[in-house]
Amino acid sequence: DADRRRSALVEALSDLTEEMESWIGRMDGPNPPYEQADFVWHYLLQSFATWRNSRGWDGLIGTEENYRRVRYERLLEIPTGQRPGHIEDVLRRASVRYPESKSEYLSENVKIIRDIGGLKAAREEALSQPGAEAKMEFMKQFKGIGKKYARNIRMDVRHPDFRDKVALDQRIRGITDLLGRDFDGYEEEEAFYLDIAREAGLTGWELVRLLYNFTKRFERAIKQ
């Protein structure tokens, strides 16, 4: 039964609608976000905004007043001891989940970027790491960033080194459960999905975007 469900997923991924096809190749689009000067801090903020609930994006990133209050330059102006409370207040106003722990992480991450030399230096160091593994290790120095977001941040900015990586979020983990699969670790589960992507003629990046944006369609295909 697990093999049948896996085959159903591969088949569904090989038979894309026109809307789904519009996602294929987007990684190669113009103006990749990693070119922006504050990409490291911006995508740290975005990661914490969407961690456990993607609706936090609207409140923090999509609301200019809240976003302005947690820009790196603004947080540097706030005394270190007052910084976590300031961030927590903004996260609560933005309806971001777990504001207490995330505010502590973000306050620590301000100091990490400052120690690196600021936004420009952080961007240069992030991009100069040789290969995907080194780039992920660079991101994992930031508090609260583990295997998923170390991949997801680079995938969100469409970095070519992450064409064949998989960021395992709750939606994809739900599909893993539907498939009746159980894995010993992150890398084993990632390899499973990369095999599925190759069979369907997709990159890992394309697979993740399709499973995330069209979750219910693929869930139905597996169940049928």
Side-chain angles (χ1 to χ4, degrees), residues 105-118:
Y105 289 149
L106 283 168
S107 184
E108 289 294 319
N109 290 335
V110 169
K111 290 187 282 187
I112 291 173
I113 288 187
R114 184 191 61 199
D115 291 344
I116 291 172

Side-chain angles (χ1 to χ4, degrees), residues 42 44 50-51 54 58 115 151 159 183 196 205 218 223:
H42 175 81
L44 284 172
T50 59
W51 181 3
S54 60
D58 291 330
D115 291 344
R151 289 164 168 78
H159 196 286
F183 299 97
I196 287 177
W205 187 91
F218 292 113
K223 291 174 183 177

Side-chain angles (χ1 to χ4, degrees), residues 16-220:
L16 303 179
T17 65
E18 185 175 341
E19 184 182 7
M20 292 177 183
E21 288 282 2
S22 72
W23 279 92
I24 306 304
R26 284 194 182 190
M27 177 175 261
D28 299 320
N31 304 316
Y34 59 80
E35 292 183 350
Q36 66 189 59
D38 66 343
F39 111 77
V40 174
W41 182 250
H42 175 81
Y43 281 90
L44 284 172
L45 284 177
Q46 180 166 292
S47 297
F48 285 105
T50 59
W51 181 3
R52 294 294 184 184
N53 193 327
S54 60
R55 288 192 295 271
W57 191 96
D58 291 330
L60 188 65
I61 309 299
T63 302
E64 177 60 29
E65 181 181 357
N66 291 332
Y67 183 75
R68 187 171 59 247
R69 293 181 65 203
V70 290
R71 290 180 65 89
Y72 173 77
E73 298 88 347
R74 173 70 184 102
L75 295 177
L76 278 183
E77 298 171 353
I78 298 170
T80 302
Q82 298 175 25
R83 201 174 287 147
H86 172 90
I87 297 172
E88 183 178 342
D89 178 65
V90 178
L91 297 186
R92 288 188 183 280
R93 290 173 182 270
S95 299
V96 172
R97 298 285 299 276
Y98 310 113
E100 301 94 339
S101 56
K102 290 179 179 179
S103 62
E104 294 289 343
Y105 289 149
L106 283 168
S107 184
E108 289 294 319
N109 290 335
V110 169
K111 290 187 282 187
I112 291 173
I113 288 187
R114 184 191 61 199
D115 291 344
I116 291 172
L119 292 178
K120 182 179 179 181
R123 175 187 178 277
E124 291 175 354
E125 189 168 336
L127 295 178
S128 67
Q129 302 301 311
E133 298 304 318
K135 288 180 172 66
M136 287 191 290
E137 287 304 311
F138 175 84
M139 294 311 305
K140 284 192 283 186
Q141 74 178 298
F142 294 102
K143 304 299 181 184
I145 300 299
K147 292 180 178 181
K148 184 237 174 167
Y149 278 108
R151 289 164 168 78
N152 197 63
I153 287 173
R154 299 305 186 115
M155 293 172 75
D156 276 351
V157 300
R158 297 185 276 122
H159 196 286
D161 284 356
F162 288 74
R163 189 178 300 276
D164 273 310
K165 291 293 181 183
V166 174
L168 299 169
D169 65 2
Q170 287 179 299
R171 298 190 193 192
I172 295 179
R173 287 267 162 76
I175 289 175
T176 299
D177 291 340
L178 268 183
L179 292 171
R181 300 284 177 161
D182 188 28
F183 299 97
D184 291 332
Y186 193 107
E187 287 75 13
E188 183 179 337
E189 190 171 359
E190 180 180 41
F192 170 79
Y193 279 106
L194 287 175
D195 283 342
I196 287 177
R198 281 190 284 271
E199 286 185 44
L202 301 167
T203 66
W205 187 91
E206 290 169 337
L207 174 85
V208 169
R209 292 303 181 262
L210 290 171
L211 293 183
Y212 182 84
N213 289 289
F214 305 96
T215 311
K216 294 199 178 299
R217 177 184 175 90
F218 292 113
E219 287 176 343
R220 287 195 299 270

